[in-house]
Amino acid sequence: MPSLPAGIDTVSVVGLERAGATALTPSILGSIQLTDLLAWISIAAFFLALVLRWQGALEPARSLATGAWIAFGSFWVTMVPYYYYEVQSPLQTLLALVALPLCAYTGYLLWGGRDSLFLLTKAIALMGLIYLPVETIPVVRTWLIETTAAQTHYGMEVLGHSPGLVEGSNGYQSKFDFDPEETVTGRTTYIILACTGIGSMAIFGGLIAAVKAPFKRKATAFALAIGVIWFLNLVRNVFIGLASPWGWFQQDWLVSIMTTYMGAEANRVSFLVAHNYIAQSLSVVALVGITYLVVKIVPEILKPLEDVLFIFTGNEYDLFDALGKEHVRADGGPDHDE
């Protein structure tokens, strides 16, 4: 299954397949090519807008950044069919649908003079700079996927399961080779790029890199965030990788609800419950927890987070006061209105 960009992969996916994998349809592949193009265009435009602002061309920077935000929102809209039909994830589908109006509103605010949003723009650009090369450079993508698969397999072995790894339908040695005749559902999972946690890592990497703070604090926060994400992602992969073949959620009442009202295949219920509901919900909780830990080390990231809350609610929030932190500017200077 294809990989996702991040904004908010804050929730990643495990590919699901029967023994004897099925290939993606050409229409889905075409959609993924379009998303990659929109992603690169928007990230490049973000960086160019930041360069223009740095050179003092504020009005052209605002106009270009506004267009970049709209392109970024359009990128997420192209992912809606994938999230809805392939992943069957209500949460990811909803987030992709609301991305365009939220991004368009962000561009509107920036165009109207809310210059603090240039910092959020910088963070998004840096997130893309971390994520997109990993997605588009084959050798890096292969290494990351297959390393994650090997680590997940080791986690399964610790729990007494050793299915082995074979090539999945995505072309990587990332499929857990459970015997369909011996498992409950006859299904297994395979690792894709989104299962590596790179999306969540890019989010925190972009936020931390965007603000100005002492290098030691930023490095400490980055190492903490990456370490926690890696561990929780490994636990998540092992959980889904075992729940799917062994049918941990194949209870009759749950299968009836999922097949009748959500159009799920009966033997896919355990995967969908484990991945789309339990793992994704816990991922949101984990991201909040990691954010809290990072803020304690680099409170400067509260500035772009305040703007995120304003975009969502239309209200101004003082996260520094709420968390008992001294007011600082993300550029290291004293806090004041721009």
Side-chain angles (χ1 to χ4, degrees):
M1 297 175 76
S3 60
L4 307 179
I8 321 274
D9 171 40
T10 50
V11 283
S12 56
V13 291
V14 175
L16 177 70
E17 63 180 357
R18 292 182 191 274
T22 56
L24 292 172
T25 63
S27 61
I28 294 296
L29 288 175
S31 174
I32 296 306
Q33 292 169 359
L34 174 61
T35 64
D36 285 346
L37 179 62
L38 283 171
W40 277 113
I41 289 174
S42 59
I43 296 303
F46 281 142
F47 274 112
L48 182 55
L50 293 169
V51 171
L52 289 173
R53 182 177 185 246
W54 177 67
Q55 292 181 337
L58 186 56
E59 292 305 319
R62 283 185 184 141
S63 298
L64 182 57
T66 297
W69 275 104
I70 294 173
F72 191 58
S74 300
F75 148 74
W76 284 110
V77 170
T78 64
M79 294 300 296
V80 170
Y82 169 71
Y83 289 139
Y84 184 79
Y85 293 108
E86 295 291 325
V87 181
Q88 295 184 4
S89 169
L91 176 61
Q92 289 174 293
T93 302
L94 178 62
L95 291 175
L97 281 171
V98 301
L100 180 56
L102 286 174
C103 287
Y105 181 55
T106 303
Y108 169 77
L109 291 172
L110 185 55
W111 180 70
R114 192 178 177 93
D115 289 351
S116 61
L117 285 169
F118 274 112
L119 181 58
L120 182 60
T121 299
K122 181 180 179 182
I124 295 295
L126 290 168
M127 292 175 198
L129 190 63
I130 294 171
Y131 183 86
L132 290 179
V134 175
E135 181 186 16
T136 55
I137 299 175
V139 65
V140 178
R141 184 172 64 248
T142 299
W143 176 83
L144 196 56
I145 290 173
E146 294 188 349
T147 298
T148 301
Q151 292 173 346
T152 303
H153 188 271
Y154 177 77
M156 291 180 176
E157 289 183 320
V158 171
L159 298 179
H161 301 272
S162 185
L165 284 170
V166 295
E167 183 176 306
S169 62
N170 57 356
Y172 304 105
Q173 292 292 122
S174 64
K175 174 185 171 183
F176 304 109
D177 194 24
F178 286 100
D179 187 341
E181 301 298 326
E182 296 181 358
T183 57
V184 174
T185 65
R187 286 186 176 268
T188 188
T189 55
Y190 61 98
I191 299 295
I192 63 174
L193 183 61
C195 307
T196 65
I198 185 62
S200 297
M201 294 176 187
I203 289 174
F204 286 100
L207 277 173
I208 294 169
V211 300
K212 289 189 177 180
F215 175 78
K216 183 177 181 180
R217 285 201 285 115
K218 292 174 71 170
T220 300
F222 181 76
L224 174 65
I226 298 305
V228 173
I229 291 169
W230 171 83
F231 175 75
L232 294 179
N233 188 66
L234 179 61
V235 172
R236 186 197 72 96
N237 286 341
V238 172
F239 167 64
I240 298 172
L242 293 177
S244 178
W246 296 112
W248 289 357
F249 304 102
Q250 292 297 126
Q251 288 80 10
D252 291 341
W253 65 272
L254 193 52
V255 172
S256 177
I257 292 175
M258 296 286 288
T259 56
T260 303
Y261 300 104
M262 306 190 70
E265 298 176 50
N267 57 4
R268 200 169 184 246
V269 167
S270 281
F271 170 79
L272 293 174
V273 171
H275 176 269
N276 290 359
Y277 295 95
I278 297 176
Q280 286 188 358
S281 298
L282 292 177
S283 292
V284 174
V285 176
L287 285 175
V288 173
I290 296 169
T291 301
Y292 178 76
L293 294 176
V294 171
V295 164
K296 290 182 73 67
I297 303 172
V298 186
E300 287 84 353
I301 72 168
L302 289 174
K303 275 297 182 183
L305 293 181
E306 287 178 345
D307 274 322
V308 171
L309 287 176
F310 180 81
I311 292 167
F312 274 96
T313 68
N315 297 317
E316 298 284 1
Y317 292 90
D318 191 332
L319 294 180
F320 290 92
D321 279 350
L323 297 177
K325 297 293 182 180
E326 180 182 355
H327 281 246
V328 294
R329 283 286 300 278
D331 60 4
D335 183 56
H336 58 68
D337 293 331
E338 290 191 275

Coordinates of all heavy atoms in Angstrom, one line a residue, residues 181-256:
E181 N -3.5 -21.1 6.6 CA -4.2 -22.3 7.1 C -4.2 -22.5 8.6 O -5.0 -23.2 9.1 CB -3.6 -23.6 6.4 CG -3.7 -23.5 4.9 CD -5.1 -23.4 4.3 OE1 -6.0 -24.0 5.0 OE2 -5.3 -22.7 3.3
E182 N -3.2 -21.8 9.2 CA -3.1 -22.0 10.7 C -3.6 -20.8 11.5 O -3.8 -20.9 12.7 CB -1.6 -22.2 11.0 CG -1.0 -23.5 10.4 CD 0.5 -23.7 10.8 OE1 1.0 -22.7 11.4 OE2 1.1 -24.7 10.4
T183 N -3.9 -19.7 10.8 CA -4.4 -18.5 11.6 C -5.9 -18.5 11.5 O -6.5 -19.2 10.8 CB -3.8 -17.2 11.0 OG1 -4.1 -17.1 9.6 CG2 -2.3 -17.2 11.1
V184 N -6.4 -17.6 12.3 CA -7.9 -17.5 12.4 C -8.5 -16.8 11.2 O -9.5 -17.3 10.7 CB -8.2 -16.7 13.7 CG1 -9.7 -16.4 13.8 CG2 -7.8 -17.4 15.0
T185 N -7.9 -15.7 10.7 CA -8.5 -15.0 9.6 C -7.9 -15.3 8.3 O -8.5 -14.9 7.3 CB -8.3 -13.5 9.9 OG1 -6.9 -13.2 9.8 CG2 -8.9 -13.0 11.2
G186 N -6.8 -16.0 8.2 CA -6.2 -16.2 6.9 C -5.5 -15.0 6.3 O -5.1 -15.0 5.2
R187 N -5.4 -13.9 7.1 CA -4.8 -12.7 6.6 C -3.5 -12.4 7.4 O -3.2 -12.9 8.4 CB -5.7 -11.5 6.8 CG -6.9 -11.5 5.8 CD -7.7 -10.2 6.0 NE -8.8 -10.1 5.0 CZ -8.6 -9.5 3.8 NH1 -7.5 -9.0 3.5 NH2 -9.7 -9.5 3.0
T188 N -2.7 -11.6 6.7 CA -1.5 -11.1 7.4 C -1.2 -9.6 7.1 O -2.0 -9.1 6.3 CB -0.2 -11.9 7.0 OG1 0.9 -11.6 7.8 CG2 0.1 -11.7 5.5
T189 N -0.2 -9.0 7.6 CA 0.1 -7.6 7.4 C 1.5 -7.5 6.8 O 2.3 -8.4 6.9 CB 0.0 -6.8 8.7 OG1 0.8 -7.4 9.7 CG2 -1.5 -6.8 9.2
Y190 N 1.7 -6.3 6.2 CA 3.1 -6.0 5.8 C 3.3 -4.5 6.1 O 2.4 -3.7 6.2 CB 3.3 -6.3 4.3 CG 2.4 -5.5 3.3 CD1 2.8 -4.4 2.7 CD2 1.1 -6.0 3.1 CE1 2.0 -3.7 1.8 CE2 0.2 -5.3 2.2 CZ 0.7 -4.2 1.5 OH -0.1 -3.5 0.7
I191 N 4.6 -4.2 6.2 CA 5.0 -2.8 6.6 C 5.1 -2.0 5.4 O 5.7 -2.4 4.3 CB 6.4 -2.9 7.3 CG1 6.2 -3.7 8.6 CG2 6.8 -1.5 7.7 CD1 5.3 -3.1 9.7
I192 N 4.6 -0.7 5.5 CA 4.8 0.3 4.4 C 5.5 1.5 5.1 O 5.8 1.5 6.3 CB 3.5 0.7 3.8 CG1 2.5 1.4 4.9 CG2 2.8 -0.5 3.1 CD1 1.3 2.0 4.3
L193 N 5.8 2.5 4.3 CA 6.5 3.6 4.8 C 5.9 4.3 6.0 O 6.5 4.7 7.0 CB 6.7 4.7 3.7 CG 7.6 5.9 4.1 CD1 9.0 5.5 4.5 CD2 7.7 6.9 2.9
A194 N 4.5 4.4 5.9 CA 3.8 5.1 7.0 C 4.0 4.3 8.3 O 3.8 4.9 9.4 CB 2.3 5.2 6.7
C195 N 4.3 3.0 8.3 CA 4.4 2.2 9.5 C 5.7 2.4 10.2 O 6.0 1.9 11.3 CB 4.3 0.7 9.1 SG 2.9 0.3 8.2
T196 N 6.6 3.2 9.6 CA 7.9 3.4 10.2 C 7.9 4.6 11.2 O 8.9 4.7 11.9 CB 9.0 3.8 9.1 OG1 8.6 5.1 8.5 CG2 9.0 2.7 8.0
G197 N 6.8 5.3 11.3 CA 6.8 6.4 12.2 C 7.4 7.7 11.7 O 7.5 8.7 12.4
I198 N 7.9 7.7 10.4 CA 8.6 8.8 9.8 C 7.7 10.1 9.8 O 8.2 11.2 9.9 CB 9.1 8.5 8.4 CG1 10.0 9.6 7.9 CG2 8.0 8.2 7.5 CD1 11.2 9.9 8.7
G199 N 6.4 9.9 9.6 CA 5.5 11.0 9.6 C 5.5 11.8 10.9 O 5.6 13.0 10.9
S200 N 5.3 11.0 12.0 CA 5.3 11.7 13.3 C 6.7 12.3 13.6 O 6.8 13.4 14.2 CB 4.9 10.7 14.4 OG 3.6 10.2 14.2
M201 N 7.7 11.6 13.2 CA 9.1 12.1 13.5 C 9.3 13.4 12.7 O 9.9 14.4 13.2 CB 10.1 11.1 13.0 CG 10.1 9.8 13.9 SD 11.3 8.6 13.2 CE 10.9 7.2 14.2
A202 N 8.7 13.5 11.5 CA 8.9 14.7 10.7 C 8.1 15.9 11.3 O 8.6 17.0 11.3 CB 8.3 14.5 9.3
I203 N 7.0 15.6 11.9 CA 6.2 16.6 12.6 C 7.0 17.3 13.7 O 7.1 18.5 13.8 CB 4.9 16.1 13.2 CG1 3.9 15.7 12.0 CG2 4.2 17.1 14.1 CD1 2.7 15.0 12.5
F204 N 7.5 16.5 14.6 CA 8.3 17.0 15.7 C 9.6 17.6 15.3 O 10.1 18.6 15.8 CB 8.5 16.0 16.8 CG 7.2 15.7 17.6 CD1 6.4 14.6 17.3 CD2 6.8 16.6 18.6 CE1 5.3 14.4 18.0 CE2 5.7 16.4 19.3 CZ 4.9 15.3 19.0
G205 N 10.2 16.9 14.3 CA 11.5 17.5 13.7 C 11.3 18.8 13.1 O 12.1 19.7 13.3
G206 N 10.2 19.0 12.4 CA 9.9 20.3 11.8 C 9.6 21.4 12.8 O 10.1 22.5 12.7
L207 N 8.8 21.0 13.8 CA 8.5 22.0 14.8 C 9.8 22.5 15.6 O 10.0 23.7 15.8 CB 7.5 21.4 15.8 CG 6.0 21.5 15.4 CD1 5.2 20.7 16.4 CD2 5.5 22.9 15.3
I208 N 10.6 21.5 16.0 CA 11.8 21.8 16.8 C 12.8 22.6 16.0 O 13.4 23.6 16.4 CB 12.4 20.5 17.3 CG1 11.4 19.9 18.3 CG2 13.7 20.8 18.0 CD1 11.8 18.5 18.7
A209 N 12.9 22.2 14.7 CA 13.9 22.9 13.8 C 13.5 24.3 13.5 O 14.3 25.2 13.3 CB 14.1 22.1 12.6
A210 N 12.2 24.5 13.4 CA 11.7 25.8 13.0 C 11.9 27.0 14.0 O 12.1 28.1 13.6 CB 10.2 25.7 12.7
V211 N 11.9 26.6 15.3 CA 12.1 27.7 16.3 C 13.5 27.9 16.6 O 14.4 27.0 16.4 CB 11.3 27.3 17.6 CG1 9.8 27.2 17.2 CG2 11.8 26.1 18.2
K212 N 13.8 29.1 17.2 CA 15.2 29.4 17.6 C 15.3 29.1 19.1 O 14.6 29.7 19.9 CB 15.5 30.8 17.2 CG 15.7 31.0 15.7 CD 16.3 32.4 15.4 CE 16.5 32.5 13.9 NZ 17.1 33.9 13.6
A213 N 16.2 28.2 19.4 CA 16.5 27.9 20.8 C 17.9 27.3 20.9 O 18.4 26.9 19.8 CB 15.4 26.9 21.3
P214 N 18.5 27.2 22.1 CA 19.8 26.7 22.2 C 19.9 25.2 21.6 O 19.0 24.5 21.8 CB 20.1 26.6 23.7 CG 19.3 27.8 24.2 CD 18.0 27.8 23.4
F215 N 21.0 25.0 20.8 CA 21.1 23.7 20.1 C 20.9 22.5 21.1 O 20.3 21.5 20.7 CB 22.4 23.6 19.4 CG 22.7 22.3 18.7 CD1 22.1 22.0 17.5 CD2 23.5 21.4 19.3 CE1 22.3 20.8 16.9 CE2 23.7 20.1 18.7 CZ 23.1 19.8 17.5
K216 N 21.5 22.6 22.3 CA 21.5 21.5 23.2 C 20.1 21.1 23.6 O 19.7 19.9 23.6 CB 22.3 21.8 24.4 CG 22.4 20.6 25.4 CD 23.3 21.0 26.6 CE 23.4 19.8 27.6 NZ 24.2 20.1 28.7
R217 N 19.2 22.1 23.8 CA 17.8 21.8 24.2 C 17.1 21.2 23.0 O 16.3 20.3 23.1 CB 17.1 23.1 24.6 CG 17.5 23.5 26.0 CD 16.5 24.4 26.7 NE 16.5 25.8 26.2 CZ 15.5 26.4 25.5 NH1 14.4 25.7 25.2 NH2 15.6 27.6 25.0
K218 N 17.3 21.8 21.8 CA 16.6 21.3 20.6 C 17.1 19.8 20.3 O 16.2 19.0 20.0 CB 16.9 22.2 19.4 CG 16.3 23.6 19.5 CD 16.7 24.5 18.4 CE 16.1 24.1 17.1 NZ 16.3 25.1 16.0
A219 N 18.3 19.5 20.4 CA 18.8 18.2 20.2 C 18.3 17.2 21.2 O 17.9 16.1 20.9 CB 20.4 18.2 20.2
T220 N 18.2 17.6 22.5 CA 17.6 16.8 23.5 C 16.2 16.5 23.2 O 15.7 15.3 23.3 CB 17.8 17.4 24.9 OG1 19.1 17.7 25.2 CG2 17.2 16.6 26.0
A221 N 15.4 17.5 22.9 CA 14.0 17.3 22.6 C 13.8 16.4 21.4 O 12.9 15.6 21.4 CB 13.3 18.7 22.4
F222 N 14.6 16.6 20.4 CA 14.5 15.8 19.2 C 14.8 14.4 19.5 O 14.0 13.5 19.0 CB 15.4 16.3 18.1 CG 15.4 15.6 16.8 CD1 14.3 15.8 15.9 CD2 16.4 14.7 16.5 CE1 14.3 15.1 14.7 CE2 16.3 14.0 15.3 CZ 15.3 14.2 14.4
A223 N 15.8 14.1 20.2 CA 16.2 12.7 20.5 C 15.1 12.0 21.4 O 14.8 10.9 21.1 CB 17.5 12.7 21.3
L224 N 14.5 12.8 22.3 CA 13.5 12.3 23.1 C 12.2 11.9 22.3 O 11.7 10.8 22.4 CB 13.1 13.3 24.2 CG 11.8 12.9 25.1 CD1 12.1 11.7 25.9 CD2 11.4 14.1 26.0
A225 N 11.8 12.8 21.4 CA 10.6 12.6 20.6 C 10.8 11.4 19.7 O 10.0 10.6 19.5 CB 10.3 13.9 19.8
I226 N 12.0 11.4 19.0 CA 12.3 10.3 18.1 C 12.3 8.9 18.8 O 11.8 7.9 18.3 CB 13.6 10.5 17.3 CG1 13.5 11.8 16.5 CG2 13.9 9.3 16.4 CD1 12.4 11.9 15.5
G227 N 12.9 8.9 20.0 CA 13.0 7.6 20.7 C 11.7 7.1 21.1 O 11.3 5.9 21.0
V228 N 10.8 8.0 21.7 CA 9.5 7.6 22.1 C 8.6 7.2 20.9 O 7.9 6.2 21.0 CB 8.8 8.8 22.9 CG1 7.4 8.4 23.2 CG2 9.6 9.1 24.2
I229 N 8.7 7.9 19.8 CA 7.9 7.6 18.6 C 8.3 6.2 18.1 O 7.5 5.4 17.8 CB 8.1 8.6 17.5 CG1 7.4 9.9 18.0 CG2 7.5 8.1 16.2 CD1 7.7 11.1 17.1
W230 N 9.6 6.0 18.1 CA 10.1 4.7 17.6 C 9.6 3.5 18.4 O 9.1 2.5 17.9 CB 11.7 4.7 17.6 CG 12.2 3.3 17.3 CD1 12.4 2.7 16.0 CD2 12.6 2.3 18.2 NE1 12.9 1.5 16.2 CE2 13.0 1.2 17.5 CE3 12.7 2.3 19.6 CZ2 13.5 0.0 18.1 CZ3 13.1 1.1 20.2 CH2 13.5 0.0 19.5
F231 N 9.7 3.7 19.8 CA 9.3 2.6 20.6 C 7.8 2.4 20.5 O 7.3 1.2 20.4 CB 9.6 2.9 22.1 CG 9.1 1.9 23.1 CD1 9.7 0.6 23.2 CD2 8.0 2.2 23.9 CE1 9.3 -0.3 24.0 CE2 7.6 1.2 24.8 CZ 8.2 0.0 24.9
L232 N 7.0 3.4 20.6 CA 5.5 3.3 20.5 C 5.1 2.7 19.2 O 4.1 1.9 19.1 CB 4.8 4.6 20.8 CG 5.0 5.1 22.2 CD1 4.3 6.5 22.4 CD2 4.5 4.1 23.3
N233 N 5.8 3.2 18.1 CA 5.4 2.7 16.8 C 5.7 1.2 16.7 O 5.0 0.4 16.0 CB 6.2 3.4 15.7 CG 5.8 3.1 14.3 OD1 4.7 3.4 13.9 ND2 6.7 2.5 13.6
L234 N 6.8 0.7 17.3 CA 7.2 -0.7 17.3 C 6.1 -1.5 18.0 O 5.6 -2.6 17.5 CB 8.5 -0.9 17.9 CG 9.0 -2.4 18.0 CD1 9.2 -3.0 16.7 CD2 10.3 -2.4 18.8
V235 N 5.7 -1.0 19.1 CA 4.6 -1.7 19.9 C 3.3 -1.8 19.0 O 2.6 -2.8 19.0 CB 4.3 -1.0 21.2 CG1 3.1 -1.6 21.9 CG2 5.5 -1.1 22.1
R236 N 3.0 -0.7 18.4 CA 1.8 -0.6 17.5 C 1.8 -1.6 16.4 O 0.9 -2.3 16.1 CB 1.7 0.8 17.0 CG 0.4 1.1 16.2 CD 0.6 2.4 15.4 NE 1.5 2.1 14.3 CZ 1.0 1.8 13.0 NH1 -0.3 1.7 12.8 NH2 1.9 1.6 12.1
N237 N 3.0 -1.7 15.7 CA 3.2 -2.6 14.6 C 3.0 -4.1 15.1 O 2.4 -4.9 14.4 CB 4.5 -2.4 13.9 CG 4.6 -1.1 13.1 OD1 3.5 -0.6 12.7 ND2 5.8 -0.7 12.8
V238 N 3.6 -4.4 16.2 CA 3.5 -5.8 16.7 C 2.1 -6.1 17.1 O 1.5 -7.1 16.7 CB 4.4 -5.9 17.9 CG1 4.2 -7.3 18.6 CG2 5.9 -5.8 17.5
F239 N 1.4 -5.1 17.7 CA 0.0 -5.3 18.1 C -0.9 -5.6 16.9 O -1.6 -6.6 16.8 CB -0.5 -4.1 18.8 CG -2.0 -4.0 19.0 CD1 -2.7 -4.9 19.8 CD2 -2.7 -3.0 18.4 CE1 -4.0 -4.8 20.0 CE2 -4.1 -2.9 18.6 CZ -4.8 -3.8 19.3
I240 N -0.8 -4.7 15.9 CA -1.6 -4.9 14.7 C -1.2 -6.2 13.9 O -2.1 -6.9 13.4 CB -1.5 -3.7 13.8 CG1 -2.0 -2.4 14.5 CG2 -2.3 -3.9 12.5 CD1 -1.8 -1.1 13.7
G241 N 0.1 -6.4 13.8 CA 0.6 -7.6 13.1 C 0.2 -8.9 13.7 O 0.1 -9.9 13.0
L242 N -0.1 -8.9 15.0 CA -0.6 -10.2 15.6 C -2.1 -10.2 15.7 O -2.7 -11.3 15.5 CB 0.0 -10.3 17.0 CG 1.5 -10.6 17.1 CD1 2.0 -10.6 18.5 CD2 1.9 -11.8 16.3
A243 N -2.7 -9.1 15.9 CA -4.2 -9.0 16.0 C -4.9 -9.4 14.7 O -5.9 -10.1 14.8 CB -4.6 -7.6 16.4
S244 N -4.3 -9.0 13.6 CA -5.0 -9.3 12.3 C -5.0 -10.8 12.0 O -6.1 -11.4 11.8 CB -4.3 -8.6 11.2 OG -4.9 -8.9 10.0
P245 N -3.9 -11.5 12.0 CA -4.0 -13.0 11.6 C -4.7 -13.8 12.7 O -5.4 -14.8 12.4 CB -2.5 -13.4 11.4 CG -1.8 -12.4 12.2 CD -2.5 -11.1 12.1
W246 N -4.5 -13.5 13.9 CA -5.0 -14.3 15.0 C -6.4 -13.9 15.5 O -7.0 -14.5 16.4 CB -4.1 -14.3 16.2 CG -2.7 -14.9 15.8 CD1 -1.5 -14.4 15.7 CD2 -2.5 -16.3 15.5 NE1 -0.6 -15.3 15.3 CE2 -1.2 -16.5 15.2 CE3 -3.4 -17.4 15.4 CZ2 -0.6 -17.7 14.8 CZ3 -2.8 -18.7 15.0 CH2 -1.5 -18.8 14.7
G247 N -7.0 -12.9 14.8 CA -8.4 -12.6 15.0 C -8.7 -12.2 16.4 O -9.8 -12.6 17.0
W248 N -8.0 -11.3 17.0 CA -8.2 -10.9 18.4 C -9.5 -10.2 18.5 O -10.1 -10.1 19.6 CB -7.1 -10.0 18.8 CG -5.8 -10.7 19.0 CD1 -5.5 -12.0 18.9 CD2 -4.5 -10.1 19.4 NE1 -4.2 -12.3 19.2 CE2 -3.6 -11.1 19.5 CE3 -4.1 -8.8 19.7 CZ2 -2.2 -10.9 19.8 CZ3 -2.8 -8.6 20.0 CH2 -1.8 -9.6 20.1
F249 N -10.1 -9.6 17.4 CA -11.3 -8.9 17.5 C -12.4 -9.4 16.6 O -13.2 -8.7 16.1 CB -11.1 -7.4 17.2 CG -10.0 -6.8 18.1 CD1 -8.7 -6.6 17.6 CD2 -10.3 -6.4 19.4 CE1 -7.8 -6.0 18.5 CE2 -9.4 -5.9 20.2 CZ -8.1 -5.7 19.8
Q250 N -12.4 -10.7 16.4 CA -13.4 -11.4 15.6 C -14.6 -11.8 16.3 O -15.3 -12.8 15.9 CB -12.7 -12.6 14.9 CG -11.6 -12.2 13.9 CD -12.1 -11.4 12.7 OE1 -11.6 -10.4 12.4 NE2 -13.2 -11.9 12.0
Q251 N -15.0 -11.1 17.4 CA -16.2 -11.4 18.1 C -17.4 -11.3 17.2 O -17.5 -10.3 16.4 CB -16.4 -10.5 19.3 CG -15.4 -10.9 20.4 CD -14.0 -10.3 20.2 OE1 -13.8 -9.5 19.3 NE2 -13.0 -10.7 21.0
D252 N -18.4 -12.2 17.3 CA -19.5 -12.2 16.4 C -20.3 -10.8 16.3 O -20.6 -10.4 15.2 CB -20.5 -13.3 16.8 CG -20.0 -14.7 16.5 OD1 -19.0 -14.8 15.7 OD2 -20.5 -15.7 17.1
W253 N -20.5 -10.2 17.5 CA -21.2 -9.0 17.5 C -20.5 -7.8 16.8 O -21.1 -7.0 16.1 CB -21.6 -8.5 18.9 CG -20.4 -8.2 19.8 CD1 -19.6 -9.1 20.5 CD2 -19.8 -6.9 19.9 NE1 -18.6 -8.4 21.1 CE2 -18.7 -7.1 20.8 CE3 -20.1 -5.6 19.4 CZ2 -17.9 -6.0 21.1 CZ3 -19.3 -4.6 19.8 CH2 -18.2 -4.8 20.6
L254 N -19.1 -7.9 16.9 CA -18.3 -6.8 16.3 C -18.2 -7.0 14.8 O -18.3 -6.1 14.0 CB -16.9 -6.8 16.9 CG -16.0 -5.6 16.6 CD1 -16.7 -4.3 16.9 CD2 -14.7 -5.8 17.4
V255 N -18.1 -8.3 14.4 CA -18.1 -8.6 13.0 C -19.4 -8.2 12.3 O -19.4 -7.7 11.2 CB -17.8 -10.1 12.8 CG1 -18.0 -10.5 11.3 CG2 -16.4 -10.5 13.2
S256 N -20.5 -8.5 13.0 CA -21.8 -8.1 12.5 C -22.0 -6.6 12.2 O -22.4 -6.2 11.2 CB -22.9 -8.6 13.4 OG -24.2 -8.2 13.0

